PDB file of all heavy atoms in Angstrom:
ATOM      1  N   ARG A 102      -7.627 -11.323  55.849  1.00 77.00           N
ATOM      2  CA  ARG A 102      -8.884 -10.855  55.253  1.00 77.00           C
ATOM      3  C   ARG A 102      -9.833 -12.017  55.002  1.00 77.00           C
ATOM      4  O   ARG A 102     -11.046 -11.893  55.181  1.00 77.00           O
ATOM      5  CB  ARG A 102      -8.604 -10.116  53.937  1.00 77.00           C
ATOM      6  CG  ARG A 102      -7.941  -8.761  54.137  1.00 77.00           C
ATOM      7  CD  ARG A 102      -8.245  -7.868  52.961  1.00 77.00           C
ATOM      8  NE  ARG A 102      -9.670  -7.651  52.825  1.00 77.00           N
ATOM      9  CZ  ARG A 102     -10.286  -7.276  51.706  1.00 77.00           C
ATOM     10  NH1 ARG A 102      -9.567  -7.103  50.612  1.00 77.00           N
ATOM     11  NH2 ARG A 102     -11.580  -7.097  51.673  1.00 77.00           N
ATOM     12  N   GLU A 103      -9.284 -13.153  54.568  1.00 79.00           N
ATOM     13  CA  GLU A 103     -10.129 -14.322  54.351  1.00 79.00           C
ATOM     14  C   GLU A 103     -10.742 -14.790  55.673  1.00 79.00           C
ATOM     15  O   GLU A 103     -11.925 -15.146  55.730  1.00 79.00           O
ATOM     16  CB  GLU A 103      -9.313 -15.443  53.717  1.00 79.00           C
ATOM     17  CG  GLU A 103      -8.933 -15.189  52.270  1.00 79.00           C
ATOM     18  CD  GLU A 103      -8.121 -16.322  51.680  1.00 79.00           C
ATOM     19  OE1 GLU A 103      -7.729 -17.230  52.453  1.00 79.00           O
ATOM     20  OE2 GLU A 103      -7.875 -16.302  50.457  1.00 79.00           O
ATOM     21  N   ALA A 104      -9.922 -14.790  56.746  1.00 77.00           N
ATOM     22  CA  ALA A 104     -10.442 -15.187  58.064  1.00 77.00           C
ATOM     23  C   ALA A 104     -11.500 -14.203  58.544  1.00 77.00           C
ATOM     24  O   ALA A 104     -12.532 -14.594  59.109  1.00 77.00           O
ATOM     25  CB  ALA A 104      -9.294 -15.274  59.068  1.00 77.00           C
ATOM     26  N   ALA A 105     -11.271 -12.893  58.303  1.00 71.00           N
ATOM     27  CA  ALA A 105     -12.253 -11.887  58.706  1.00 71.00           C
ATOM     28  C   ALA A 105     -13.547 -12.035  57.924  1.00 71.00           C
ATOM     29  O   ALA A 105     -14.643 -11.843  58.457  1.00 71.00           O
ATOM     30  CB  ALA A 105     -11.670 -10.489  58.502  1.00 71.00           C
ATOM     31  N   ALA A 106     -13.431 -12.391  56.634  1.00 71.00           N
ATOM     32  CA  ALA A 106     -14.631 -12.587  55.824  1.00 71.00           C
ATOM     33  C   ALA A 106     -15.447 -13.754  56.352  1.00 71.00           C
ATOM     34  O   ALA A 106     -16.686 -13.711  56.385  1.00 71.00           O
ATOM     35  CB  ALA A 106     -14.242 -12.819  54.366  1.00 71.00           C
ATOM     36  N   THR A 107     -14.783 -14.818  56.787  1.00 73.00           N
ATOM     37  CA  THR A 107     -15.493 -15.966  57.365  1.00 73.00           C
ATOM     38  C   THR A 107     -16.206 -15.567  58.648  1.00 73.00           C
ATOM     39  O   THR A 107     -17.357 -15.953  58.895  1.00 73.00           O
ATOM     40  CB  THR A 107     -14.498 -17.101  57.640  1.00 73.00           C
ATOM     41  OG1 THR A 107     -13.827 -17.446  56.426  1.00 73.00           O
ATOM     42  CG2 THR A 107     -15.209 -18.323  58.190  1.00 73.00           C
ATOM     43  N   ALA A 108     -15.531 -14.768  59.485  1.00 66.00           N
ATOM     44  CA  ALA A 108     -16.152 -14.319  60.739  1.00 66.00           C
ATOM     45  C   ALA A 108     -17.370 -13.441  60.466  1.00 66.00           C
ATOM     46  O   ALA A 108     -18.408 -13.562  61.139  1.00 66.00           O
ATOM     47  CB  ALA A 108     -15.126 -13.566  61.578  1.00 66.00           C
ATOM     48  N   ASP A 109     -17.279 -12.553  59.477  1.00 61.00           N
ATOM     49  CA  ASP A 109     -18.413 -11.699  59.120  1.00 61.00           C
ATOM     50  C   ASP A 109     -19.603 -12.531  58.665  1.00 61.00           C
ATOM     51  O   ASP A 109     -20.761 -12.224  58.960  1.00 61.00           O
ATOM     52  CB  ASP A 109     -18.014 -10.722  58.016  1.00 61.00           C
ATOM     53  CG  ASP A 109     -17.112  -9.621  58.533  1.00 61.00           C
ATOM     54  OD1 ASP A 109     -17.053  -9.445  59.768  1.00 61.00           O
ATOM     55  OD2 ASP A 109     -16.453  -8.948  57.707  1.00 61.00           O
ATOM     56  N   PHE A 110     -19.323 -13.624  57.953  1.00 59.00           N
ATOM     57  CA  PHE A 110     -20.404 -14.477  57.471  1.00 59.00           C
ATOM     58  C   PHE A 110     -21.132 -15.132  58.647  1.00 59.00           C
ATOM     59  O   PHE A 110     -22.363 -15.228  58.674  1.00 59.00           O
ATOM     60  CB  PHE A 110     -19.827 -15.544  56.539  1.00 59.00           C
ATOM     61  CG  PHE A 110     -20.846 -16.533  56.062  1.00 59.00           C
ATOM     62  CD1 PHE A 110     -21.754 -16.192  55.065  1.00 59.00           C
ATOM     63  CD2 PHE A 110     -20.916 -17.809  56.618  1.00 59.00           C
ATOM     64  CE1 PHE A 110     -22.705 -17.100  54.637  1.00 59.00           C
ATOM     65  CE2 PHE A 110     -21.858 -18.715  56.192  1.00 59.00           C
ATOM     66  CZ  PHE A 110     -22.762 -18.372  55.196  1.00 59.00           C
ATOM     67  N   LEU A 111     -20.349 -15.564  59.669  1.00 60.00           N
ATOM     68  CA  LEU A 111     -20.973 -16.182  60.840  1.00 60.00           C
ATOM     69  C   LEU A 111     -21.805 -15.173  61.620  1.00 60.00           C
ATOM     70  O   LEU A 111     -22.888 -15.480  62.121  1.00 60.00           O
ATOM     71  CB  LEU A 111     -19.881 -16.779  61.738  1.00 60.00           C
ATOM     72  CG  LEU A 111     -19.089 -17.956  61.128  1.00 60.00           C
ATOM     73  CD1 LEU A 111     -17.981 -18.388  62.084  1.00 60.00           C
ATOM     74  CD2 LEU A 111     -20.026 -19.125  60.820  1.00 60.00           C
ATOM     75  N   ILE A 112     -21.326 -13.926  61.708  1.00 59.00           N
ATOM     76  CA  ILE A 112     -22.082 -12.892  62.427  1.00 59.00           C
ATOM     77  C   ILE A 112     -23.395 -12.606  61.721  1.00 59.00           C
ATOM     78  O   ILE A 112     -24.449 -12.471  62.344  1.00 59.00           O
ATOM     79  CB  ILE A 112     -21.226 -11.613  62.540  1.00 59.00           C
ATOM     80  CG1 ILE A 112     -20.044 -11.857  63.480  1.00 59.00           C
ATOM     81  CG2 ILE A 112     -22.065 -10.452  63.036  1.00 59.00           C
ATOM     82  CD1 ILE A 112     -19.070 -10.705  63.528  1.00 59.00           C
ATOM     83  N   GLU A 113     -23.356 -12.529  60.386  1.00 59.00           N
ATOM     84  CA  GLU A 113     -24.574 -12.273  59.630  1.00 59.00           C
ATOM     85  C   GLU A 113     -25.571 -13.408  59.807  1.00 59.00           C
ATOM     86  O   GLU A 113     -26.794 -13.193  59.854  1.00 59.00           O
ATOM     87  CB  GLU A 113     -24.232 -12.094  58.146  1.00 59.00           C
ATOM     88  CG  GLU A 113     -23.496 -10.798  57.858  1.00 59.00           C
ATOM     89  CD  GLU A 113     -23.098 -10.684  56.396  1.00 59.00           C
ATOM     90  OE1 GLU A 113     -23.418 -11.623  55.635  1.00 59.00           O
ATOM     91  OE2 GLU A 113     -22.477  -9.666  56.032  1.00 59.00           O
ATOM     92  N   SER A 114     -25.067 -14.628  59.950  1.00 60.00           N
ATOM     93  CA  SER A 114     -25.962 -15.762  60.160  1.00 60.00           C
ATOM     94  C   SER A 114     -26.672 -15.648  61.495  1.00 60.00           C
ATOM     95  O   SER A 114     -27.875 -15.930  61.627  1.00 60.00           O
ATOM     96  CB  SER A 114     -25.162 -17.073  60.098  1.00 60.00           C
ATOM     97  OG  SER A 114     -24.559 -17.219  58.831  1.00 60.00           O
ATOM     98  N   GLU A 115     -25.960 -15.194  62.541  1.00 59.00           N
ATOM     99  CA  GLU A 115     -26.577 -15.023  63.854  1.00 59.00           C
ATOM    100  C   GLU A 115     -27.625 -13.922  63.832  1.00 59.00           C
ATOM    101  O   GLU A 115     -28.688 -14.035  64.446  1.00 59.00           O
ATOM    102  CB  GLU A 115     -25.496 -14.696  64.885  1.00 59.00           C
ATOM    103  CG  GLU A 115     -24.520 -15.842  65.122  1.00 59.00           C
ATOM    104  CD  GLU A 115     -23.429 -15.452  66.094  1.00 59.00           C
ATOM    105  OE1 GLU A 115     -23.471 -14.284  66.564  1.00 59.00           O
ATOM    106  OE2 GLU A 115     -22.555 -16.283  66.377  1.00 59.00           O
ATOM    107  N   VAL A 116     -27.358 -12.847  63.079  1.00 54.00           N
ATOM    108  CA  VAL A 116     -28.330 -11.755  62.977  1.00 54.00           C
ATOM    109  C   VAL A 116     -29.595 -12.234  62.295  1.00 54.00           C
ATOM    110  O   VAL A 116     -30.718 -11.903  62.682  1.00 54.00           O
ATOM    111  CB  VAL A 116     -27.710 -10.563  62.229  1.00 54.00           C
ATOM    112  CG1 VAL A 116     -28.768  -9.509  61.937  1.00 54.00           C
ATOM    113  CG2 VAL A 116     -26.581  -9.971  63.055  1.00 54.00           C
ATOM    114  N   ASP A 117     -29.446 -13.056  61.273  1.00 55.00           N
ATOM    115  CA  ASP A 117     -30.606 -13.572  60.554  1.00 55.00           C
ATOM    116  C   ASP A 117     -31.472 -14.460  61.436  1.00 55.00           C
ATOM    117  O   ASP A 117     -32.680 -14.594  61.214  1.00 55.00           O
ATOM    118  CB  ASP A 117     -30.151 -14.374  59.329  1.00 55.00           C
ATOM    119  CG  ASP A 117     -29.525 -13.467  58.282  1.00 55.00           C
ATOM    120  OD1 ASP A 117     -29.799 -12.253  58.324  1.00 55.00           O
ATOM    121  OD2 ASP A 117     -28.755 -13.977  57.440  1.00 55.00           O
ATOM    122  N   GLU A 118     -30.873 -15.067  62.490  1.00 55.00           N
ATOM    123  CA  GLU A 118     -31.629 -15.941  63.375  1.00 55.00           C
ATOM    124  C   GLU A 118     -32.357 -15.183  64.471  1.00 55.00           C
ATOM    125  O   GLU A 118     -32.965 -15.776  65.350  1.00 55.00           O
ATOM    126  CB  GLU A 118     -30.675 -16.956  64.013  1.00 55.00           C
ATOM    127  CG  GLU A 118     -30.108 -17.939  62.980  1.00 55.00           C
ATOM    128  CD  GLU A 118     -29.084 -18.868  63.608  1.00 55.00           C
ATOM    129  OE1 GLU A 118     -28.837 -18.724  64.821  1.00 55.00           O
ATOM    130  OE2 GLU A 118     -28.526 -19.714  62.887  1.00 55.00           O
ATOM    131  N   GLY A 119     -32.271 -13.852  64.465  1.00 53.00           N
ATOM    132  CA  GLY A 119     -33.082 -13.081  65.406  1.00 53.00           C
ATOM    133  C   GLY A 119     -32.318 -12.266  66.393  1.00 53.00           C
ATOM    134  O   GLY A 119     -32.899 -11.755  67.348  1.00 53.00           O
TER     135      GLY A 119
END
Side-chain angles (χ1 to χ4, degrees):
R102 289 205 61 202
E103 289 180 352
T107 303
D109 287 344
F110 176 77
L111 295 176
I112 291 174
E113 289 177 1
S114 299
E115 294 177 0
V116 172
D117 292 339
E118 293 176 0

